PDB file of all heavy atoms in Angstrom:
ATOM      1  N   PRO A  16       1.632   4.082   7.057  1.00 98.00           N
ATOM      2  CA  PRO A  16       1.004   5.407   7.055  1.00 98.00           C
ATOM      3  C   PRO A  16      -0.103   5.558   8.098  1.00 98.00           C
ATOM      4  O   PRO A  16      -0.268   6.638   8.676  1.00 98.00           O
ATOM      5  CB  PRO A  16       0.457   5.558   5.632  1.00 98.00           C
ATOM      6  CG  PRO A  16       0.503   4.198   5.030  1.00 98.00           C
ATOM      7  CD  PRO A  16       1.582   3.446   5.731  1.00 98.00           C
ATOM      8  N   GLY A  17      -0.856   4.484   8.374  1.00 98.00           N
ATOM      9  CA  GLY A  17      -1.918   4.574   9.382  1.00 98.00           C
ATOM     10  C   GLY A  17      -1.333   4.814  10.759  1.00 98.00           C
ATOM     11  O   GLY A  17      -1.640   5.812  11.429  1.00 98.00           O
ATOM     12  N   GLU A  36       6.381  -1.734  16.437  1.00 98.00           N
ATOM     13  CA  GLU A  36       6.583  -2.136  15.037  1.00 98.00           C
ATOM     14  C   GLU A  36       7.390  -3.434  15.013  1.00 98.00           C
ATOM     15  O   GLU A  36       8.461  -3.513  15.606  1.00 98.00           O
ATOM     16  CB  GLU A  36       7.324  -1.009  14.285  1.00 98.00           C
ATOM     17  CG  GLU A  36       7.922  -1.384  12.942  1.00 98.00           C
ATOM     18  CD  GLU A  36       6.925  -1.958  11.939  1.00 98.00           C
ATOM     19  OE1 GLU A  36       5.895  -1.324  11.686  1.00 98.00           O
ATOM     20  OE2 GLU A  36       7.201  -3.072  11.419  1.00 98.00           O
ATOM     21  N   ARG A  37       6.875  -4.432  14.310  1.00 98.00           N
ATOM     22  CA  ARG A  37       7.566  -5.729  14.307  1.00 98.00           C
ATOM     23  C   ARG A  37       8.874  -5.705  13.519  1.00 98.00           C
ATOM     24  O   ARG A  37       9.796  -6.464  13.812  1.00 98.00           O
ATOM     25  CB  ARG A  37       6.656  -6.837  13.764  1.00 98.00           C
ATOM     26  CG  ARG A  37       6.334  -6.714  12.304  1.00 98.00           C
ATOM     27  CD  ARG A  37       5.447  -7.849  11.806  1.00 98.00           C
ATOM     28  NE  ARG A  37       6.160  -9.120  11.764  1.00 98.00           N
ATOM     29  CZ  ARG A  37       5.613 -10.291  11.463  1.00 98.00           C
ATOM     30  NH1 ARG A  37       4.313 -10.343  11.184  1.00 98.00           N
ATOM     31  NH2 ARG A  37       6.315 -11.381  11.434  1.00 98.00           N
ATOM     32  N   MET A  76       8.640  -3.016   7.911  1.00 98.00           N
ATOM     33  CA  MET A  76       9.722  -2.218   8.504  1.00 98.00           C
ATOM     34  C   MET A  76       9.149  -0.876   8.933  1.00 98.00           C
ATOM     35  O   MET A  76       7.966  -0.601   8.685  1.00 98.00           O
ATOM     36  CB  MET A  76      10.847  -2.009   7.484  1.00 98.00           C
ATOM     37  CG  MET A  76      10.447  -1.253   6.230  1.00 98.00           C
ATOM     38  SD  MET A  76      11.837  -0.938   5.115  1.00 98.00           S
ATOM     39  CE  MET A  76      12.679   0.417   5.930  1.00 98.00           C
ATOM     40  N   GLY A  79       6.341   0.926   7.084  1.00 98.00           N
ATOM     41  CA  GLY A  79       5.443  -0.027   6.423  1.00 98.00           C
ATOM     42  C   GLY A  79       5.657  -0.064   4.918  1.00 98.00           C
ATOM     43  O   GLY A  79       6.785   0.085   4.426  1.00 98.00           O
ATOM     44  N   ALA A  80       4.567  -0.215   4.184  1.00 98.00           N
ATOM     45  CA  ALA A  80       4.678  -0.406   2.732  1.00 98.00           C
ATOM     46  C   ALA A  80       5.094   0.870   1.995  1.00 98.00           C
ATOM     47  O   ALA A  80       5.449   0.805   0.815  1.00 98.00           O
ATOM     48  CB  ALA A  80       3.372  -0.953   2.172  1.00 98.00           C
ATOM     49  N   MET A  83       8.305   0.833   0.074  1.00 96.00           N
ATOM     50  CA  MET A  83       8.472   0.248  -1.269  1.00 96.00           C
ATOM     51  C   MET A  83       7.381   0.723  -2.228  1.00 96.00           C
ATOM     52  O   MET A  83       7.160   0.100  -3.256  1.00 96.00           O
ATOM     53  CB  MET A  83       8.432  -1.280  -1.180  1.00 96.00           C
ATOM     54  CG  MET A  83       9.632  -1.872  -0.472  1.00 96.00           C
ATOM     55  SD  MET A  83       9.538  -3.672  -0.331  1.00 96.00           S
ATOM     56  CE  MET A  83       9.884  -4.204  -1.998  1.00 96.00           C
ATOM     57  N   CYS A  85       5.134   3.377  -4.809  1.00 97.00           N
ATOM     58  CA  CYS A  85       5.512   4.150  -5.998  1.00 97.00           C
ATOM     59  C   CYS A  85       5.342   5.652  -5.778  1.00 97.00           C
ATOM     60  O   CYS A  85       5.497   6.421  -6.713  1.00 97.00           O
ATOM     61  CB  CYS A  85       4.667   3.717  -7.201  1.00 97.00           C
ATOM     62  SG  CYS A  85       4.967   2.029  -7.676  1.00 97.00           S
ATOM     63  N   GLY A  86       4.967   6.042  -4.576  1.00 98.00           N
ATOM     64  CA  GLY A  86       4.859   7.472  -4.271  1.00 98.00           C
ATOM     65  C   GLY A  86       3.681   8.158  -4.948  1.00 98.00           C
ATOM     66  O   GLY A  86       3.686   9.380  -5.114  1.00 98.00           O
ATOM     67  N   CYS A  87       2.639   7.393  -5.306  1.00 98.00           N
ATOM     68  CA  CYS A  87       1.459   8.023  -5.935  1.00 98.00           C
ATOM     69  C   CYS A  87       0.453   8.429  -4.868  1.00 98.00           C
ATOM     70  O   CYS A  87       0.314   7.748  -3.849  1.00 98.00           O
ATOM     71  CB  CYS A  87       0.755   7.042  -6.861  1.00 98.00           C
ATOM     72  SG  CYS A  87       1.796   6.553  -8.214  1.00 98.00           S
ATOM     73  N   ALA A 193       8.977  -5.458  17.760  1.00 98.00           N
ATOM     74  CA  ALA A 193       7.854  -5.683  18.695  1.00 98.00           C
ATOM     75  C   ALA A 193       6.680  -6.284  17.933  1.00 98.00           C
ATOM     76  O   ALA A 193       5.932  -5.573  17.259  1.00 98.00           O
ATOM     77  CB  ALA A 193       7.445  -4.366  19.343  1.00 98.00           C
ATOM     78  N   VAL A 195       3.205  -7.730  17.960  1.00 98.00           N
ATOM     79  CA  VAL A 195       1.988  -7.816  18.789  1.00 98.00           C
ATOM     80  C   VAL A 195       1.186  -9.028  18.336  1.00 98.00           C
ATOM     81  O   VAL A 195       0.920  -9.205  17.145  1.00 98.00           O
ATOM     82  CB  VAL A 195       1.160  -6.515  18.674  1.00 98.00           C
ATOM     83  CG1 VAL A 195      -0.196  -6.669  19.344  1.00 98.00           C
ATOM     84  CG2 VAL A 195       1.940  -5.358  19.281  1.00 98.00           C
ATOM     85  N   HIS A 382      -1.986  -4.048  -2.397  1.00 96.00           N
ATOM     86  CA  HIS A 382      -2.845  -3.316  -1.467  1.00 96.00           C
ATOM     87  C   HIS A 382      -3.718  -4.277  -0.662  1.00 96.00           C
ATOM     88  O   HIS A 382      -4.948  -4.198  -0.728  1.00 96.00           O
ATOM     89  CB  HIS A 382      -3.770  -2.349  -2.221  1.00 96.00           C
ATOM     90  CG  HIS A 382      -3.070  -1.274  -2.981  1.00 96.00           C
ATOM     91  ND1 HIS A 382      -3.746  -0.354  -3.752  1.00 96.00           N
ATOM     92  CD2 HIS A 382      -1.767  -0.948  -3.097  1.00 96.00           C
ATOM     93  CE1 HIS A 382      -2.879   0.490  -4.319  1.00 96.00           C
ATOM     94  NE2 HIS A 382      -1.669   0.135  -3.940  1.00 96.00           N
ATOM     95  N   ASP A 408      -5.921   1.561   9.315  1.00 98.00           N
ATOM     96  CA  ASP A 408      -5.014   1.144   8.236  1.00 98.00           C
ATOM     97  C   ASP A 408      -5.866   0.694   7.058  1.00 98.00           C
ATOM     98  O   ASP A 408      -7.097   0.879   7.069  1.00 98.00           O
ATOM     99  CB  ASP A 408      -4.043   0.055   8.721  1.00 98.00           C
ATOM    100  CG  ASP A 408      -4.751  -1.197   9.238  1.00 98.00           C
ATOM    101  OD1 ASP A 408      -5.923  -1.402   8.885  1.00 98.00           O
ATOM    102  OD2 ASP A 408      -4.122  -1.956   9.989  1.00 98.00           O
ATOM    103  N   ALA A 409      -5.238   0.045   6.092  1.00 98.00           N
ATOM    104  CA  ALA A 409      -5.968  -0.355   4.883  1.00 98.00           C
ATOM    105  C   ALA A 409      -7.033  -1.412   5.163  1.00 98.00           C
ATOM    106  O   ALA A 409      -7.904  -1.648   4.325  1.00 98.00           O
ATOM    107  CB  ALA A 409      -4.981  -0.870   3.843  1.00 98.00           C
ATOM    108  N   PRO A 419      -4.330   4.717  -5.485  1.00 98.00           N
ATOM    109  CA  PRO A 419      -3.359   4.793  -4.395  1.00 98.00           C
ATOM    110  C   PRO A 419      -4.059   4.998  -3.052  1.00 98.00           C
ATOM    111  O   PRO A 419      -5.002   5.786  -2.941  1.00 98.00           O
ATOM    112  CB  PRO A 419      -2.509   6.001  -4.787  1.00 98.00           C
ATOM    113  CG  PRO A 419      -2.617   6.055  -6.289  1.00 98.00           C
ATOM    114  CD  PRO A 419      -4.017   5.632  -6.599  1.00 98.00           C
ATOM    115  N   THR A 420      -3.577   4.289  -2.042  1.00 98.00           N
ATOM    116  CA  THR A 420      -4.283   4.216  -0.761  1.00 98.00           C
ATOM    117  C   THR A 420      -3.771   5.196   0.293  1.00 98.00           C
ATOM    118  O   THR A 420      -4.493   5.531   1.244  1.00 98.00           O
ATOM    119  CB  THR A 420      -4.080   2.816  -0.152  1.00 98.00           C
ATOM    120  OG1 THR A 420      -2.661   2.623   0.018  1.00 98.00           O
ATOM    121  CG2 THR A 420      -4.622   1.710  -1.025  1.00 98.00           C
ATOM    122  N   VAL A 421      -2.494   5.588   0.167  1.00 98.00           N
ATOM    123  CA  VAL A 421      -1.801   6.204   1.311  1.00 98.00           C
ATOM    124  C   VAL A 421      -2.434   7.521   1.756  1.00 98.00           C
ATOM    125  O   VAL A 421      -2.587   7.773   2.955  1.00 98.00           O
ATOM    126  CB  VAL A 421      -0.295   6.363   0.988  1.00 98.00           C
ATOM    127  CG1 VAL A 421       0.411   7.214   2.041  1.00 98.00           C
ATOM    128  CG2 VAL A 421       0.361   4.991   0.892  1.00 98.00           C
TER     129      VAL A 421
HETATM  130  C1  LIG B   1       5.235  -2.150  -4.300  1.00 93.61           C
HETATM  131  C2  LIG B   1       4.132  -1.265  -3.742  1.00 93.61           C
HETATM  132  C3  LIG B   1       3.784  -0.096  -4.385  1.00 93.61           C
HETATM  133  C4  LIG B   1       2.777   0.721  -3.855  1.00 93.61           C
HETATM  134  N1  LIG B   1       2.542   1.941  -4.428  1.00 93.61           N
HETATM  135  C5  LIG B   1       1.662   2.788  -3.837  1.00 93.61           C
HETATM  136  C6  LIG B   1       1.531   4.130  -4.287  1.00 93.61           C
HETATM  137  O1  LIG B   1       2.215   4.565  -5.207  1.00 93.61           O
HETATM  138  N2  LIG B   1       0.647   4.938  -3.646  1.00 93.61           N
HETATM  139  C7  LIG B   1      -0.124   4.488  -2.599  1.00 93.61           C
HETATM  140  O2  LIG B   1      -0.925   5.254  -2.067  1.00 93.61           O
HETATM  141  N3  LIG B   1      -0.013   3.221  -2.165  1.00 93.61           N
HETATM  142  C8  LIG B   1       0.880   2.380  -2.720  1.00 93.61           C
HETATM  143  N4  LIG B   1       1.055   1.125  -2.211  1.00 93.61           N
HETATM  144  C9  LIG B   1       0.161   0.671  -1.137  1.00 93.61           C
HETATM  145  C10 LIG B   1       0.467   1.313   0.198  1.00 93.61           C
HETATM  146  O3  LIG B   1       1.858   1.411   0.419  1.00 93.61           O
HETATM  147  C11 LIG B   1      -0.203   0.504   1.310  1.00 93.61           C
HETATM  148  O4  LIG B   1      -1.555   0.294   0.977  1.00 93.61           O
HETATM  149  C12 LIG B   1      -0.137   1.266   2.626  1.00 93.61           C
HETATM  150  O5  LIG B   1       1.213   1.442   3.021  1.00 93.61           O
HETATM  151  C13 LIG B   1      -0.870   0.498   3.707  1.00 93.61           C
HETATM  152  O6  LIG B   1      -0.729   1.216   4.905  1.00 93.61           O
HETATM  153  P1  LIG B   1      -1.119   0.559   6.299  1.00 93.61           P
HETATM  154  O7  LIG B   1      -0.921   1.592   7.340  1.00 93.61           O
HETATM  155  O8  LIG B   1      -2.409  -0.106   6.144  1.00 93.61           O
HETATM  156  O9  LIG B   1      -0.089  -0.649   6.543  1.00 93.61           O
HETATM  157  P2  LIG B   1       1.386  -0.980   6.140  1.00 93.61           P
HETATM  158  O10 LIG B   1       2.014   0.086   5.336  1.00 93.61           O
HETATM  159  O11 LIG B   1       1.350  -2.354   5.599  1.00 93.61           O
HETATM  160  O12 LIG B   1       2.120  -0.999   7.552  1.00 93.61           O
HETATM  161  C14 LIG B   1       1.818  -1.954   8.529  1.00 93.61           C
HETATM  162  C15 LIG B   1       3.003  -2.056   9.478  1.00 93.61           C
HETATM  163  O13 LIG B   1       2.618  -2.883  10.577  1.00 93.61           O
HETATM  164  C16 LIG B   1       3.675  -3.748  10.914  1.00 93.61           C
HETATM  165  N5  LIG B   1       3.081  -4.932  11.542  1.00 93.61           N
HETATM  166  C17 LIG B   1       2.378  -5.911  10.942  1.00 93.61           C
HETATM  167  N6  LIG B   1       1.964  -6.820  11.839  1.00 93.61           N
HETATM  168  C18 LIG B   1       2.421  -6.398  13.046  1.00 93.61           C
HETATM  169  C19 LIG B   1       2.317  -6.923  14.365  1.00 93.61           C
HETATM  170  N7  LIG B   1       1.632  -8.045  14.618  1.00 93.61           N
HETATM  171  N8  LIG B   1       2.932  -6.248  15.370  1.00 93.61           N
HETATM  172  C20 LIG B   1       3.624  -5.108  15.124  1.00 93.61           C
HETATM  173  N9  LIG B   1       3.753  -4.569  13.891  1.00 93.61           N
HETATM  174  C21 LIG B   1       3.140  -5.201  12.863  1.00 93.61           C
HETATM  175  C22 LIG B   1       4.345  -4.051   9.586  1.00 93.61           C
HETATM  176  O14 LIG B   1       5.695  -4.460   9.782  1.00 93.61           O
HETATM  177  C23 LIG B   1       4.224  -2.718   8.848  1.00 93.61           C
HETATM  178  O15 LIG B   1       5.360  -1.899   9.060  1.00 93.61           O
HETATM  179  C24 LIG B   1       2.063   0.305  -2.703  1.00 93.61           C
HETATM  180  C25 LIG B   1       2.408  -0.875  -2.056  1.00 93.61           C
HETATM  181  C26 LIG B   1       3.438  -1.659  -2.550  1.00 93.61           C
HETATM  182  C27 LIG B   1       3.807  -2.926  -1.802  1.00 93.61           C
END
Side-chain angles (χ1 to χ4, degrees):
E36 165 56 53
R37 68 179 290 175
M76 62 176 283
M83 291 178 74
C85 296
C87 297
V195 171
H382 297 177
D408 59 20
T420 59
V421 170

